[in-house]
Amino acid sequence: QVQLEESGGGLVQTGGSLRLSCVASGRTLGPHAMGWFRQAPGKEREFVAAISWTGGNTYYADSVKGRFTISRGNAENTIILQLNSLKPEDTAVYYCAADSGRFQTATMTPSEYDYWGQGTQVTVSS
């Protein structure tokens, strides 16, 4: 079994920054893509960012492009999401996900991801 654990959420003011981390543990995944999604109350889960196994390919939702950065962490099976210039509309639970069927690229489609974390709350006050 694979477990994903997110950390780094919190409450910030508009314009502030947060750094989210996600660590995969348990059964060895092998090369895999990873992504971040978010879900606000009353809304569907939406794609935020994704990264290929080597980190050479990254993908972003238009709404976060230029403000958020996804990267592979120094530790194996770790990804980071740096959130800058946060807006109230960024408020949501942020989920980390792993796609064991893809590694050279990454997808924006939630159903393609095999494993999910429990989520971490990000709240941006106006």
Side-chain angles (χ1 to χ4, degrees), residues 37 47 99 102 106-113 116:
F37 294 79
F47 170 75
D99 176 2
R102 187 177 279 105
T107 180
M108 298 181 285
T109 305
S111 60
E112 295 292 317
Y113 288 80
W116 292 82

Side-chain angles (χ1 to χ4, degrees), residues 70-93:
I70 189 171
S71 61
R72 289 279 178 179
N74 291 329
E76 190 174 296
N77 291 338
T78 300
I79 60 169
I80 306 295
L81 186 67
Q82 179 68 39
L83 290 66
N84 296 330
S85 303
L86 281 161
K87 306 174 182 179
E89 51 264 43
D90 295 318
T91 296
V93 177

Side-chain angles (χ1 to χ4, degrees), residues 13 20 23 63 84:
Q13 293 184 330
L20 306 185
V23 179
S63 59
N84 296 330

